[in-house]
Amino acid sequence: MTGFVIAPVVRASQSAASATGKIAGVVTADMMNGVLDEVIALLPVCIPVMISFIGLRKGISFIQSVLHAA
């Protein structure tokens, strides 16, 4: 019974290793630098939006607590 459980895990790890080898042959450093540049370009937009959503959520929570207390 234990051999039945271990065998698929070994096959899955072997197929994952071969897939990683195929991906490593296709992906280049220039492609990864392009992705990193896009992520860095999005940060000035995402950070204020996240802070605004957190503030809005806290504001709504504060108003709800005031209304529940009244």
Side-chain angles (χ1 to χ4, degrees):
M1 197 71 166
T2 306
F4 178 73
V5 174
I6 293 173
V9 172
V10 171
R11 281 189 225 128
S13 65
Q14 288 171 346
S15 65
S18 66
T20 304
K22 291 177 186 176
I23 292 173
V26 173
V27 176
T28 62
D30 291 334
M31 293 171 72
M32 295 307 292
N33 284 334
V35 171
L36 182 62
D37 290 341
E38 291 296 323
V39 170
I40 290 172
L42 285 174
L43 285 178
V45 175
C46 291
I47 291 175
V49 168
M50 289 189 304
I51 291 171
S52 299
F53 280 139
I54 291 170
L56 184 64
R57 190 186 75 183
K58 286 189 170 285
I60 291 171
S61 175
F62 174 73
I63 291 172
Q64 283 181 341
S65 67
V66 168
L67 291 174
H68 280 292

Coordinates of all heavy atoms in Angstrom, one line a residue:
M1 N 0.8 -1.2 0.0 CA 0.0 0.0 0.0 C 0.9 1.3 0.0 O 0.6 2.2 -0.6 CB -0.9 -0.1 1.2 CG -2.1 0.9 1.1 SD -3.2 0.2 -0.1 CE -4.6 1.2 0.2
T2 N 2.0 1.3 0.7 CA 2.9 2.4 0.8 C 3.5 2.7 -0.6 O 3.7 3.8 -1.0 CB 4.0 2.2 1.8 OG1 3.3 1.9 3.1 CG2 4.8 3.4 2.0
G3 N 3.9 1.6 -1.3 CA 4.5 1.8 -2.6 C 3.6 2.4 -3.6 O 4.0 3.2 -4.5
F4 N 2.3 2.2 -3.4 CA 1.3 2.8 -4.3 C 1.3 4.4 -4.1 O 1.1 5.1 -5.0 CB -0.1 2.2 -4.0 CG -1.2 2.8 -4.8 CD1 -1.3 2.6 -6.2 CD2 -2.1 3.7 -4.3 CE1 -2.3 3.1 -7.0 CE2 -3.1 4.3 -5.1 CZ -3.2 4.0 -6.4
V5 N 1.4 4.8 -2.9 CA 1.4 6.2 -2.6 C 2.7 6.9 -3.0 O 2.7 8.0 -3.5 CB 1.1 6.5 -1.1 CG1 1.2 7.9 -0.7 CG2 -0.2 5.9 -0.7
I6 N 3.8 6.3 -2.9 CA 5.1 6.9 -3.2 C 5.3 7.0 -4.7 O 5.9 7.9 -5.1 CB 6.2 6.1 -2.5 CG1 6.1 6.2 -0.9 CG2 7.6 6.6 -2.9 CD1 7.0 5.4 -0.2
A7 N 4.9 6.0 -5.4 CA 5.2 5.9 -6.8 C 4.7 7.2 -7.6 O 5.4 7.7 -8.4 CB 4.7 4.6 -7.5
P8 N 3.4 7.6 -7.4 CA 3.0 8.8 -8.1 C 3.7 10.1 -7.7 O 4.0 10.9 -8.5 CB 1.5 8.9 -7.7 CG 1.1 7.6 -7.3 CD 2.3 6.9 -6.7
V9 N 4.2 10.1 -6.4 CA 4.9 11.3 -6.0 C 6.3 11.4 -6.7 O 6.7 12.4 -7.2 CB 5.1 11.2 -4.5 CG1 6.1 12.3 -4.0 CG2 3.8 11.3 -3.8
V10 N 6.9 10.2 -6.9 CA 8.2 10.2 -7.6 C 8.0 10.6 -9.1 O 8.7 11.4 -9.6 CB 8.8 8.8 -7.5 CG1 10.0 8.6 -8.4 CG2 9.2 8.5 -6.1
R11 N 6.9 10.1 -9.7 CA 6.7 10.4 -11.1 C 6.3 11.9 -11.2 O 6.8 12.6 -12.2 CB 5.5 9.6 -11.6 CG 6.0 8.2 -12.0 CD 4.9 7.5 -12.8 NE 4.8 6.1 -12.2 CZ 3.7 5.6 -11.7 NH1 2.5 6.2 -11.8 NH2 3.8 4.4 -11.2
A12 N 5.6 12.4 -10.3 CA 5.3 13.9 -10.3 C 6.5 14.7 -10.2 O 6.7 15.7 -10.9 CB 4.2 14.2 -9.3
S13 N 7.4 14.3 -9.3 CA 8.6 15.1 -9.1 C 9.5 15.0 -10.4 O 10.2 16.0 -10.7 CB 9.3 14.7 -7.9 OG 9.8 13.4 -8.0
Q14 N 9.5 13.9 -11.0 CA 10.4 13.7 -12.2 C 9.8 14.6 -13.3 O 10.5 15.2 -14.1 CB 10.4 12.3 -12.6 CG 11.3 11.4 -11.7 CD 11.2 9.9 -12.0 OE1 10.3 9.5 -12.7 NE2 12.0 9.1 -11.4
S15 N 8.5 14.6 -13.5 CA 7.9 15.4 -14.5 C 8.1 16.9 -14.2 O 8.2 17.7 -15.1 CB 6.4 15.1 -14.7 OG 5.7 15.4 -13.6
A16 N 8.0 17.3 -13.0 CA 8.2 18.7 -12.6 C 9.7 19.1 -12.9 O 9.9 20.2 -13.4 CB 7.9 18.9 -11.1
A17 N 10.6 18.2 -12.7 CA 12.0 18.5 -13.0 C 12.2 18.7 -14.5 O 12.9 19.5 -14.9 CB 12.9 17.4 -12.4
S18 N 11.6 17.8 -15.3 CA 11.8 17.9 -16.7 C 11.1 19.2 -17.2 O 11.6 19.8 -18.2 CB 11.2 16.7 -17.4 OG 9.8 16.6 -17.3
A19 N 9.9 19.6 -16.6 CA 9.3 20.8 -17.0 C 10.1 22.0 -16.7 O 10.2 23.0 -17.4 CB 7.9 20.9 -16.4
T20 N 10.8 22.0 -15.5 CA 11.6 23.1 -15.1 C 12.8 23.2 -16.1 O 13.2 24.3 -16.5 CB 12.2 22.8 -13.7 OG1 11.0 22.7 -12.8 CG2 13.0 24.0 -13.2
G21 N 13.3 22.1 -16.5 CA 14.4 22.1 -17.5 C 14.0 22.8 -18.8 O 14.7 23.5 -19.5
K22 N 12.7 22.5 -19.3 CA 12.2 23.0 -20.5 C 12.0 24.5 -20.4 O 12.3 25.3 -21.2 CB 10.9 22.4 -20.9 CG 11.1 20.9 -21.3 CD 9.7 20.3 -21.6 CE 9.9 18.8 -21.9 NZ 8.6 18.1 -22.1
I23 N 11.5 25.0 -19.2 CA 11.2 26.4 -19.0 C 12.5 27.1 -18.9 O 12.6 28.2 -19.4 CB 10.4 26.6 -17.7 CG1 9.0 26.0 -17.9 CG2 10.3 28.0 -17.3 CD1 8.1 26.0 -16.7
A24 N 13.5 26.6 -18.2 CA 14.8 27.2 -18.1 C 15.5 27.5 -19.5 O 16.2 28.4 -19.6 CB 15.7 26.4 -17.2
G25 N 15.2 26.6 -20.4 CA 15.7 26.8 -21.7 C 15.0 27.9 -22.5 O 15.6 28.4 -23.5
V26 N 13.8 28.2 -22.2 CA 13.0 29.2 -22.9 C 13.1 30.6 -22.3 O 13.3 31.6 -23.0 CB 11.5 28.7 -23.0 CG1 10.7 29.8 -23.6 CG2 11.4 27.4 -23.8
V27 N 13.1 30.7 -21.0 CA 13.1 31.9 -20.3 C 14.5 32.5 -20.3 O 15.4 31.8 -19.9 CB 12.5 31.8 -18.9 CG1 12.6 33.1 -18.2 CG2 11.1 31.3 -19.0
T28 N 14.6 33.8 -20.7 CA 15.9 34.4 -20.7 C 16.0 35.5 -19.6 O 14.9 35.9 -19.1 CB 16.2 35.0 -22.0 OG1 15.3 36.0 -22.3 CG2 16.2 34.0 -23.1
A29 N 17.2 36.0 -19.3 CA 17.3 37.1 -18.4 C 16.6 38.3 -18.8 O 16.1 39.1 -18.0 CB 18.8 37.3 -18.1
D30 N 16.6 38.6 -20.1 CA 15.9 39.8 -20.6 C 14.4 39.7 -20.4 O 13.8 40.7 -20.1 CB 16.2 39.9 -22.1 CG 17.6 40.3 -22.5 OD1 18.2 40.9 -21.6 OD2 18.1 40.0 -23.6
M31 N 13.8 38.5 -20.5 CA 12.4 38.3 -20.2 C 12.1 38.6 -18.7 O 11.2 39.3 -18.4 CB 12.0 36.9 -20.6 CG 12.0 36.6 -22.1 SD 11.7 34.9 -22.5 CE 10.0 34.8 -22.1
M32 N 13.0 38.1 -17.9 CA 12.8 38.3 -16.4 C 13.0 39.8 -16.1 O 12.3 40.3 -15.2 CB 13.7 37.4 -15.6 CG 13.4 35.9 -15.8 SD 11.7 35.5 -15.5 CE 11.6 35.7 -13.8
N33 N 13.9 40.4 -16.7 CA 14.1 41.9 -16.5 C 12.9 42.7 -16.9 O 12.6 43.7 -16.3 CB 15.4 42.4 -17.2 CG 16.7 41.9 -16.5 OD1 16.6 41.7 -15.3 ND2 17.7 41.8 -17.2
G34 N 12.3 42.3 -18.0 CA 11.1 43.0 -18.4 C 9.9 42.8 -17.4 O 9.2 43.8 -17.1
V35 N 9.8 41.6 -16.9 CA 8.8 41.4 -15.8 C 9.1 42.2 -14.6 O 8.2 42.9 -14.0 CB 8.7 39.9 -15.5 CG1 7.8 39.7 -14.3 CG2 8.2 39.1 -16.7
L36 N 10.3 42.2 -14.2 CA 10.7 43.0 -13.0 C 10.5 44.5 -13.2 O 10.0 45.2 -12.3 CB 12.2 42.8 -12.7 CG 12.7 43.5 -11.4 CD1 12.0 43.0 -10.2 CD2 14.2 43.2 -11.3
D37 N 10.8 45.0 -14.4 CA 10.6 46.4 -14.7 C 9.1 46.8 -14.7 O 8.7 47.8 -14.2 CB 11.1 46.8 -16.1 CG 12.6 46.7 -16.2 OD1 13.3 46.8 -15.1 OD2 13.2 46.6 -17.3
E38 N 8.2 45.9 -15.1 CA 6.8 46.1 -15.1 C 6.3 46.2 -13.7 O 5.4 47.0 -13.3 CB 6.0 45.1 -15.9 CG 6.2 45.2 -17.4 CD 5.7 46.6 -17.9 OE1 4.7 47.1 -17.5 OE2 6.3 47.1 -18.8
V39 N 6.8 45.2 -12.8 CA 6.3 45.2 -11.4 C 6.8 46.5 -10.7 O 6.0 47.1 -10.0 CB 6.9 43.9 -10.7 CG1 6.7 44.0 -9.2 CG2 6.3 42.7 -11.3
I40 N 8.0 46.9 -11.0 CA 8.5 48.1 -10.4 C 7.7 49.3 -10.9 O 7.4 50.3 -10.1 CB 10.0 48.3 -10.6 CG1 10.8 47.2 -9.9 CG2 10.5 49.7 -10.3 CD1 12.2 47.1 -10.2
A41 N 7.3 49.3 -12.1 CA 6.5 50.5 -12.6 C 5.1 50.5 -12.0 O 4.5 51.6 -11.9 CB 6.4 50.3 -14.2
L42 N 4.6 49.4 -11.6 CA 3.3 49.3 -11.0 C 3.3 49.8 -9.5 O 2.2 50.1 -9.0 CB 2.7 48.0 -11.1 CG 2.2 47.6 -12.5 CD1 1.7 46.1 -12.5 CD2 1.0 48.5 -12.9
L43 N 4.4 49.7 -8.9 CA 4.4 50.0 -7.4 C 3.9 51.4 -7.1 O 3.2 51.5 -6.1 CB 5.8 49.8 -6.9 CG 6.3 48.3 -6.7 CD1 7.7 48.3 -6.2 CD2 5.3 47.6 -5.8
P44 N 4.3 52.5 -7.8 CA 3.8 53.8 -7.4 C 2.2 53.9 -7.5 O 1.6 54.8 -6.9 CB 4.4 54.7 -8.4 CG 5.6 54.0 -8.9 CD 5.3 52.6 -8.9
V45 N 1.6 53.0 -8.3 CA 0.2 53.1 -8.4 C -0.5 52.2 -7.3 O -1.4 52.5 -6.7 CB -0.3 52.6 -9.8 CG1 -1.8 52.5 -9.9 CG2 0.3 53.5 -10.9
C46 N 0.1 51.0 -7.1 CA -0.5 50.0 -6.2 C -0.4 50.4 -4.7 O -1.4 50.2 -4.0 CB 0.2 48.7 -6.4 SG -0.2 47.9 -8.0
I47 N 0.7 51.0 -4.3 CA 0.9 51.3 -2.9 C -0.2 52.3 -2.4 O -0.8 52.1 -1.4 CB 2.3 51.7 -2.6 CG1 3.2 50.5 -2.8 CG2 2.4 52.3 -1.2 CD1 4.7 50.7 -2.6
P48 N -0.3 53.5 -3.1 CA -1.4 54.4 -2.7 C -2.8 53.8 -2.7 O -3.6 54.1 -1.9 CB -1.3 55.6 -3.6 CG 0.1 55.5 -4.2 CD 0.4 54.1 -4.2
V49 N -3.1 53.0 -3.7 CA -4.4 52.4 -3.8 C -4.6 51.4 -2.6 O -5.7 51.5 -2.0 CB -4.5 51.6 -5.1 CG1 -5.8 50.7 -5.1 CG2 -4.6 52.6 -6.3
M50 N -3.6 50.6 -2.3 CA -3.8 49.8 -1.1 C -3.9 50.6 0.2 O -4.8 50.2 1.0 CB -2.5 48.8 -1.0 CG -2.5 47.8 -2.0 SD -1.2 46.5 -1.8 CE 0.3 47.5 -1.7
I51 N -3.2 51.6 0.4 CA -3.3 52.5 1.6 C -4.7 53.1 1.6 O -5.3 53.2 2.7 CB -2.2 53.5 1.6 CG1 -0.9 52.8 1.9 CG2 -2.5 54.6 2.7 CD1 0.3 53.7 1.7
S52 N -5.2 53.5 0.5 CA -6.6 54.1 0.4 C -7.6 53.1 0.8 O -8.6 53.4 1.5 CB -6.8 54.7 -1.0 OG -5.9 55.7 -1.3
F53 N -7.5 51.9 0.3 CA -8.5 50.9 0.6 C -8.5 50.5 2.1 O -9.5 50.3 2.7 CB -8.3 49.6 -0.2 CG -8.8 49.7 -1.6 CD1 -8.1 49.2 -2.7 CD2 -10.1 50.3 -1.9 CE1 -8.6 49.3 -4.0 CE2 -10.6 50.4 -3.2 CZ -9.9 49.9 -4.2
I54 N -7.3 50.4 2.7 CA -7.2 50.2 4.1 C -7.8 51.3 4.9 O -8.5 51.1 5.9 CB -5.7 49.9 4.5 CG1 -5.2 48.6 3.9 CG2 -5.5 49.9 6.0 CD1 -3.7 48.4 4.0
G55 N -7.5 52.5 4.5 CA -8.1 53.7 5.2 C -9.6 53.7 5.1 O -10.3 54.0 6.0
L56 N -10.1 53.4 3.9 CA -11.6 53.4 3.7 C -12.2 52.3 4.5 O -13.3 52.5 5.1 CB -11.8 53.1 2.2 CG -13.3 53.2 1.8 CD1 -13.9 54.5 2.0 CD2 -13.4 52.8 0.3
R57 N -11.6 51.1 4.6 CA -12.1 50.0 5.4 C -12.1 50.4 6.9 O -13.1 50.2 7.6 CB -11.3 48.8 5.2 CG -11.9 47.5 5.8 CD -11.0 46.4 5.7 NE -9.9 46.6 6.7 CZ -8.9 45.8 6.8 NH1 -8.7 44.8 6.0 NH2 -8.0 46.0 7.8
K58 N -11.1 51.1 7.4 CA -11.0 51.5 8.7 C -12.0 52.6 9.0 O -12.6 52.6 10.1 CB -9.6 52.0 9.1 CG -8.6 50.8 9.3 CD -7.3 51.3 9.9 CE -6.4 50.2 10.2 NZ -6.9 49.5 11.4
G59 N -12.2 53.5 8.1 CA -13.2 54.5 8.2 C -14.6 53.9 8.3 O -15.4 54.4 9.2
I60 N -15.0 53.0 7.5 CA -16.3 52.3 7.5 C -16.5 51.6 8.8 O -17.5 51.7 9.4 CB -16.5 51.4 6.3 CG1 -16.6 52.3 5.0 CG2 -17.7 50.5 6.4 CD1 -16.5 51.4 3.7
S61 N -15.4 50.9 9.3 CA -15.5 50.2 10.5 C -15.7 51.2 11.7 O -16.5 50.9 12.6 CB -14.2 49.4 10.7 OG -14.2 48.8 12.0
F62 N -15.0 52.3 11.7 CA -15.2 53.3 12.7 C -16.7 53.8 12.7 O -17.3 54.0 13.8 CB -14.2 54.5 12.5 CG -14.4 55.6 13.5 CD1 -14.1 55.5 14.8 CD2 -15.0 56.8 13.0 CE1 -14.3 56.5 15.7 CE2 -15.2 57.8 13.9 CZ -14.8 57.7 15.2
I63 N -17.2 54.2 11.6 CA -18.6 54.7 11.5 C -19.6 53.6 12.0 O -20.5 53.9 12.7 CB -18.9 55.1 10.0 CG1 -18.1 56.4 9.7 CG2 -20.4 55.4 9.8 CD1 -18.2 56.8 8.2
Q64 N -19.3 52.3 11.6 CA -20.2 51.3 12.1 C -20.2 51.2 13.6 O -21.2 51.0 14.3 CB -19.8 49.9 11.4 CG -20.3 49.8 10.0 CD -19.9 48.4 9.4 OE1 -19.0 47.8 10.0 NE2 -20.6 48.1 8.3
S65 N -18.9 51.2 14.2 CA -18.8 51.1 15.6 C -19.5 52.3 16.3 O -20.1 52.1 17.4 CB -17.4 51.0 16.1 OG -16.7 52.2 15.8
V66 N -19.4 53.5 15.8 CA -20.1 54.7 16.4 C -21.6 54.5 16.3 O -22.3 54.8 17.2 CB -19.6 56.0 15.7 CG1 -20.5 57.1 16.0 CG2 -18.2 56.3 16.0
L67 N -22.1 54.0 15.1 CA -23.5 53.8 15.0 C -24.1 52.7 15.9 O -25.2 52.8 16.4 CB -23.9 53.5 13.5 CG -23.7 54.7 12.5 CD1 -23.9 54.3 11.1 CD2 -24.6 55.8 12.9
H68 N -23.3 51.7 16.1 CA -23.7 50.6 17.0 C -23.7 51.1 18.4 O -24.6 50.6 19.2 CB -22.8 49.4 16.9 CG -23.1 48.5 15.7 ND1 -24.2 47.8 15.5 CD2 -22.4 48.3 14.5 CE1 -24.2 47.1 14.4 NE2 -23.1 47.4 13.7
A69 N -22.8 51.9 18.8 CA -22.8 52.5 20.2 C -23.9 53.4 20.4 O -24.3 53.6 21.6 CB -21.4 53.1 20.4
A70 N -24.5 54.1 19.4 CA -25.5 55.1 19.6 C -26.8 54.4 19.9 O -27.2 53.4 19.7 CB -25.6 55.9 18.4

